Amino acid sequence: MTWSLICEHLFIVLAASILSIAIGLPLGIWAYVSKTARPVILRAVDLLQTIPSLALLGIIMVVLDPGKLTVIIGITLYSLLPIVRNTCLGLQEVDPGVKEAARGMGMSKPYRVLMVEFPLAFPTVFTGIRIAVVNAIGTAVFAAFVGGGGLGGVITQAIRISDMKLILAATAVLMAIAVVLDLLMGWFESQMRKARGGSRKMWVPVAVILLAFCLLLPYGRGSSGDLMLYDGDYSETQLMHHMVKMLVEDQTDLTVTIQDQMSQVNNFNSLKGGSHTCDLMISYDGTLLTTFFHQDVTDVPEGMSIYEYVNRVAQEEYGMRLLEKLGFDNTYAVAVPMAVAEKYGLETISDLIPVAGELTFGAEQGFFTLEGSMKYGPFTEFYGLSFRDYVPVDLGLKYSAIENGSFNVTVVYATDGLNRKVGLKVLEDDRGFFPDYNGAFLVREDVLERYPELEDILNRLAGCIPTEQMAELTYQVDVVGRTVEEVALEFLKEQGLIG
């Protein structure tokens, strides 16, 4: 967690707050002056509030590219309800005698609303703004899921590796920001109520927000560089992308920029098409087949490996190419705690068959979906397993759940260093159910044409990182607590790839 991430989070909050004020105040005034538009406007902002914030960001991301703009628009829409409703309510509560006096003086309706009624209603209006700003601080955490940056990525990573100190530290920072902003806005609101409005005073907080936004602008600018990558939401992705940056910048004059965190699926979506926002990513042949191309192992032509097939599809349909395999196979693996393995003498998945009725299987929700063959149903059917029960759990909480004994068997990734931390025994897939998930860089063809030296440079990593080595690297980051940059640089130096 750095000051840069904190400032980035504040930028998102302030940008969304300014936009929601600019949209919410006119809508609230319109709802007040127009009895016809009022129910439509209020119902619309009510409905926006009922959409889960993460779902709303996902919907917006379908239309726009991942990034800060998606997050800012999402939080803006989410913040409209308190601003619109309080603006309309505040104007309705202005003393009718004041309204009548203004009409008696011959003031036009627009002038009366804006210059007489709105200043008097502003303390109530400002309460809505205050609620919206404080709520936005927490909602901005979801920016991490759509490449928006901020402190959400820190919290997500900390939950996954069960780092309670980091969770509490990031949460404390968010709480401190919320408390400080709420106290400042609360003090100003009380001053406004004492002064009974005032057309000049009411613009002071708006000016302060605008000034703070201007100061934070450097943290919201788009990234630039010859090559653009996204940081991953797993240590493995982060390690490989930082190795790309170090290796390319050491061997060429190119600059490599690693943007905000992004999931594998969103990263692939940002890689394809003419409006792409990145140039390459670390991926896996099995992931391309099942997750990105929505195909199955049975779709691979006879005589072709998964790697060969997905590479052909990537080139023909997406204008991308997989470079050489890096050496690690991050396939699914079934694992149990060491105590369970010793109790039942488990070495292979087939050893689970006679004892499955005594055990509970737990995994992330995605493993229990019906899409694709690499899921719970096909897996248990293939091996003839009948577990006592199965428990879906959030991916970030899976390792904590198995440590706490919530279930006895789980599915993991072969290269995850947390397997070692939790003390899991990975069972041999003796009947070969799970396909290969060979790691390789997925690069746009036009990037390789523009920088022909790039392919040779990145292929220097080919075969250098066996599965056990990658597990050790992720262990150093997730368990030992070393930085991604430190571990990546040390590895490249040990391999003699950079000086």
Side-chain angles (χ1 to χ4, degrees), residues 336-347 408 424-427:
V336 296
M338 284 294 183
V340 173
E342 292 170 1
K343 178 179 179 180
Y344 295 102
L346 303 177
E347 294 291 338
N408 321 100
L424 296 181
K425 180 179 179 62
V426 176
L427 304 180

Side-chain angles (χ1 to χ4, degrees), residues 157-462:
Q157 178 78 352
I159 291 173
R160 196 181 78 83
I161 64 177
S162 300
D163 189 338
M164 186 56 67
K165 289 183 179 179
L166 189 55
I167 295 172
L168 293 175
T171 303
V173 170
L174 290 175
M175 291 175 64
I177 293 172
V179 169
V180 170
L181 287 178
D182 189 55
L183 287 174
L184 288 173
M185 290 187 291
W187 176 83
F188 183 82
E189 183 182 331
S190 66
Q191 296 301 307
M192 289 293 295
R193 292 189 183 280
K194 290 177 183 178
R196 300 180 59 84
S199 58
R200 292 183 180 178
K201 285 186 177 181
M202 69 184 184
W203 295 112
V204 173
V206 177
V208 171
I209 291 175
L210 286 172
L211 176 60
F213 173 74
C214 291
L215 293 174
L216 292 170
L217 266 178
Y219 297 94
R221 290 175 181 168
S223 303
S224 61
D226 297 312
L227 290 176
M228 306 294 289
L229 290 78
Y230 278 105
D231 216 1
D233 49 4
Y234 284 96
S235 298
E236 183 169 307
T237 305
Q238 295 169 0
L239 282 163
M240 296 313 303
H241 286 184
H242 278 81
M243 286 185 196
V244 170
K245 177 179 174 65
M246 294 172 183
L247 194 57
V248 171
E249 291 186 344
D250 182 73
Q251 302 293 326
T252 72
D253 293 329
L254 301 176
T255 57
V256 180
T257 298
I258 299 178
Q259 305 172 92
D260 299 316
Q261 282 190 10
M262 184 80 76
S263 68
Q264 276 273 313
V265 173
N266 290 336
N267 200 344
F268 178 74
N269 290 333
S270 66
L271 185 65
K272 65 184 183 181
S275 59
H276 64 95
T277 55
C278 73
D279 299 308
L280 65 94
M281 64 181 288
I282 179 66
S283 193
Y284 312 88
D285 50 8
T287 301
L288 265 74
L289 179 71
T290 59
T291 304
F292 300 161
F293 300 163
H294 304 290
Q295 298 186 37
D296 223 322
V297 177
T298 55
D299 296 311
V300 179
E302 189 174 350
M304 292 186 74
S305 67
I306 294 176
Y307 173 84
E308 292 168 337
Y309 175 65
V310 297
N311 207 359
R312 187 181 74 182
V313 174
Q315 292 180 57
E316 293 176 353
E317 299 184 17
Y318 295 91
M320 305 176 192
R321 178 145 51 95
L322 276 175
L323 301 186
E324 295 179 25
K325 299 176 188 177
L326 294 164
F328 54 91
D329 179 10
N330 193 15
T331 186
Y332 284 120
V334 172
V336 296
M338 284 294 183
V340 173
E342 292 170 1
K343 178 179 179 180
Y344 295 102
L346 303 177
E347 294 291 338
T348 68
I349 297 178
S350 293
D351 292 339
L352 285 169
I353 296 173
V355 299
E358 303 176 41
L359 304 173
T360 299
F361 188 96
E364 56 269 27
Q365 292 95 331
F367 193 69
F368 296 100
T369 62
L370 300 178
E371 182 181 340
S373 64
M374 299 302 109
K375 297 297 170 17
Y376 179 77
F379 163 67
T380 52
E381 183 179 347
F382 179 86
Y383 268 101
L385 295 168
S386 181
F387 289 104
R388 179 178 61 193
D389 196 7
Y390 65 87
V391 180
V393 66
D394 183 83
L395 179 60
L397 300 175
K398 181 172 69 175
Y399 284 98
S400 296
I402 199 166
E403 274 190 299
N404 296 333
S406 299
F407 43 82
N408 321 100
V409 189
T410 189
V411 64
V412 298
Y413 295 117
T415 61
D416 200 329
L418 292 176
N419 298 335
R420 178 175 156 192
K421 176 195 175 186
V422 178
L424 296 181
K425 180 179 179 62
V426 176
L427 304 180
E428 179 189 347
D429 184 8
D430 53 311
R431 294 179 57 189
F433 174 75
F434 295 112
D436 294 335
Y437 279 77
N438 294 297
F441 291 118
L442 182 64
V443 191
R444 289 179 59 88
E445 292 272 23
D446 56 355
V447 173
L448 294 175
E449 292 172 4
R450 190 162 64 249
Y451 307 116
E453 70 275 22
L454 188 62
E455 182 171 0
D456 177 65
I457 291 171
L458 295 182
N459 276 337
R460 293 175 192 175
L461 282 166

Side-chain angles (χ1 to χ4, degrees), residues 95-109 111-113 116-117:
D95 189 342
V98 174
K99 299 178 183 179
E100 188 61 36
R103 275 194 293 268
M105 295 175 65
M107 294 181 185
S108 65
K109 189 171 184 178
Y111 186 89
R112 187 174 68 246
V113 170
V116 178
E117 298 178 29

Side-chain angles (χ1 to χ4, degrees), residues 83-99:
I83 297 176
V84 172
R85 280 201 168 274
N86 275 49
T87 301
C88 183
L89 178 64
L91 290 167
Q92 289 174 330
E93 290 181 340
V94 173
D95 189 342
V98 174
K99 299 178 183 179

